[in-house]
Amino acid sequence: MTVYRQRIGGTGYAFEGLVELLAKATPRRSGDELAGCAARSDAERAAAQWALAEVPLPEFLAEPVVPYETDEVTRLIIDTHDRSAFARVSHLTVGDLRDWLLSAAARDDAAALAAVAPGLTPEMVAAVSKIMRNQDLIAVARAVRVRSGFRTTIGLPGTLATRLQPNHPTDDPRGIAAAVLDGLLLGCGDAVIGINPATDSPRATADLLALLDEVRRRYEIPAQSCVLAHVTTTLELISAGAPVDLVFQSIAGTEGANSGFGVNLSLLREANEAGRSLRRGTVGDNVMYFETGQGSALSADAHRGAGGAPVDQQTLEARAYAVARELDPLLVNTVVGFIGPEYLYDGKQIVRAGLEDHFCGKLLGLPMGVDVCYTNHAEADSDDMDTLLTLLGAAGAAFVIAVPGADDVMLGYQSLSFHDALYARKVLGLRPAPEFADWLDRLGLLDAQGRIREVEPLSSPLRALAGGG
């Protein structure tokens, strides 16, 4: 194990191996403090970042942070590593990689960034993010182009898609339909109309799938739907002939954490094949939808790496993106503030984590979105969410999640509202996915500038959703 040394202000620091170095170099967050792996002072953090900048990229292949022998995510990362793509940057250190990424972003060289992506491991990408300022994360992510498609095309430049999240505490069809109407009238739903079910029963999930599919077909909406049940429930419903568009699953960055979610790589590959076999897409066949979040491995006590040392939560989050990348998804989003202040304490930590996650996922080649959110016991508020939303819009996020009034009454957390999505599109000059925008225009919901008109619900062609006939 390599010992990395750095002296700052007359004080020497030593970091035993990449696991400790990565953890100590991470910007401050409560989850790493809870795990006992965070830097003890700003000086130690600065020393770790300085030392990390000097690490040659090939060392991340030689010293996996989670052992190859005991973790299938590590085996996936190493066994699928594209050494041809890596050759372009294999001579660089972490600091050199930062400089190269920023130069490519400055040139808006999307082709170069895409070409190197298969050669980058999650640990390399996590490492470089730790020595980047927020503006660096935004500049590089904005220059990266990642496209996916099902019934709408996700990730095109100049667009910001939305997941319309019409959750209801009892899965009441009328309550869900009202929320869907509200979102559609405000231009939301082009990424997915996705429900978190109140229960995971196959029958309830099937009923919700049928409801969403009926609405989609009746109004010829170019969008995809999803009920975010466990992947095994969705597989069962595919076999039963249910109208499944997207297959959802929460994933994490270690085999142990994924086992806690009840999944492994083999099951996820089976689900991807099953979803694609239905051939329900029109503009693409990306059928998987993944959610992640910093702290998930720690909360499952599955966050340890080489020698049993705790791995920092942001590095483990980036490793989850290797799992997602293997399955070629339509959508991936981090639920950045959902797990709670034990992992991301306040608005500052949530904003930073959201930018890190978006940068890492996008650089690794994913159609990356963010659930801009916080729990009510975190030291955060809607102003923090406004800030993160605006920064993500500038960074070229593929999509965000929106719920009625920004308050998810079923899951009990604060996210974005449909009006927040309107704000971001208007201020930043962004549009919905093109297929969805054309549908909105046909209904007369767009003005001459392509912005959402203010429409009375009962005067809309969608009025039947609200019980208007």
Side-chain angles (χ1 to χ4, degrees):
M1 178 184 296
T2 305
V3 177
Y4 301 91
R5 302 183 187 278
Q6 186 65 45
R7 180 171 291 275
I8 288 185
T11 301
Y13 297 90
F15 308 97
E16 295 187 5
L18 282 175
V19 170
E20 182 178 8
L21 182 63
L22 286 164
K24 295 294 177 66
T26 306
R28 184 180 182 184
R29 60 208 52 190
S30 52
D32 292 337
E33 293 171 341
L34 178 65
C37 63
R40 292 180 291 272
S41 66
D42 289 339
E44 185 181 31
R45 183 174 296 108
Q49 290 172 341
W50 193 283
L52 182 61
E54 299 301 319
V55 175
L57 295 181
E59 288 192 22
F60 293 94
L61 299 171
E63 188 181 328
V65 300
V66 181
Y68 181 94
E69 298 76 15
T70 60
D71 190 273
E72 70 170 358
V73 177
T74 300
R75 293 194 291 275
L76 172 70
I77 292 167
I78 299 299
D79 295 348
T80 62
H81 181 242
D82 189 331
R83 293 187 178 272
S84 177
F86 183 56
R88 179 163 189 171
V89 295
S90 61
H91 61 290
L92 301 179
T93 65
V94 173
D96 294 332
L97 177 62
R98 172 188 176 274
D99 294 342
W100 182 82
L101 290 172
L102 288 170
S103 68
R107 298 192 306 271
D108 200 21
D109 195 347
L113 292 166
V116 79
L120 298 176
T121 69
E123 291 85 353
M124 295 174 193
V125 172
V128 75
S129 75
K130 296 174 192 296
I131 62 169
M132 298 176 83
R133 294 174 58 184
N134 286 359
Q135 65 174 249
D136 299 338
L137 300 174
I138 293 168
V140 175
R142 183 179 179 86
V144 177
R145 303 280 186 260
V146 181
R147 183 182 303 185
S148 62
F150 189 77
R151 292 194 188 96
T152 58
T153 304
I154 305 300
L156 292 173
T159 65
L160 176 66
T162 55
R163 170 183 161 191
L164 196 172
Q165 184 168 296
N167 294 345
H168 191 279
T170 63
D171 290 338
D172 179 76
R174 289 182 63 85
I176 289 171
V180 170
L181 171 64
D182 190 17
L184 290 173
L185 289 176
L186 292 169
C188 291
D190 47 338
V192 63
I193 304 174
I195 302 172
N196 295 92
T199 73
D200 200 43
S201 80
R203 179 166 184 172
T205 301
D207 289 344
L208 293 174
L209 284 169
L211 168 65
L212 292 181
D213 197 57
E214 179 184 357
V215 170
R216 179 189 65 81
R217 288 186 292 105
R218 180 171 182 177
Y219 299 103
E220 300 179 333
I221 307 171
Q224 38 280 337
S225 64
C226 185
V227 177
L228 281 66
H230 192 269
V231 65
T232 53
T233 301
T234 304
L235 277 170
E236 180 181 337
L237 293 174
I238 289 175
S239 297
V244 173
D245 286 345
L246 303 187
V247 181
F248 169 82
Q249 184 55 47
S250 296
I251 56 172
T254 67
E255 181 178 340
N258 283 323
S259 178
F261 286 135
V263 299
N264 55 38
L265 293 176
S266 176
L267 178 60
L268 294 174
R269 292 184 180 112
E270 178 188 351
N272 192 28
E273 292 174 5
R276 285 184 167 174
S277 72
L278 301 178
R279 302 183 183 278
R280 291 173 60 86
T282 55
V283 300
D285 65 349
N286 304 112
V287 300
M288 300 301 289
Y289 175 20
F290 295 119
E291 283 192 337
T292 67
Q294 287 194 30
S296 59
L298 173 58
S299 67
D301 194 26
H303 62 293
R304 299 193 179 275
V311 182
D312 71 273
Q313 64 184 38
Q314 191 255 335
T315 297
L316 292 178
E317 170 72 5
R319 283 170 53 91
Y321 305 151
V323 177
R325 182 166 63 173
E326 172 71 3
L327 281 303
D328 198 19
L330 177 75
L331 306 168
V332 181
N333 71 258
T334 168
V335 282
V336 65
F338 180 75
I339 302 182
E342 299 85 356
Y343 306 95
L344 296 169
Y345 178 72
D346 58 14
K348 181 179 178 67
Q349 292 187 13
I350 292 171
V351 167
R352 173 69 190 190
L355 294 177
E356 289 171 348
D357 294 351
H358 176 253
F359 163 87
C360 290
K362 205 171 179 188
L363 188 57
L364 288 168
L366 293 175
M368 197 70 194
V370 177
D371 188 353
V372 179
C373 63
Y374 64 99
T375 58
N376 289 318
H377 60 310
E379 290 295 321
D381 59 27
S382 58
D383 286 340
D384 298 311
M385 301 305 102
D386 290 347
T387 298
L388 179 53
L389 170 61
T390 306
L391 295 176
L392 288 168
F399 70 103
V400 293
I401 292 178
V403 306
D407 184 8
D408 191 309
V409 295
M410 195 277 279
L411 292 177
Y413 79 117
Q414 306 301 309
S415 185
L416 298 176
S417 72
F418 305 136
H419 292 85
D420 292 330
L422 283 181
Y423 147 79
R425 285 170 172 167
K426 180 177 181 180
V427 169
L428 299 172
L430 302 171
R431 291 175 56 85
E435 301 85 358
F436 194 77
D438 289 345
W439 176 77
L440 291 170
D441 194 32
R442 291 197 301 273
L443 290 183
L445 295 178
L446 296 184
D447 64 18
Q449 289 74 43
R451 296 175 300 195
I452 301 296
R453 295 180 185 273
E454 293 187 12
V455 177
E456 290 295 329
L458 297 184
S459 68
S460 161
L462 301 172
R463 62 189 181 278
L465 273 177

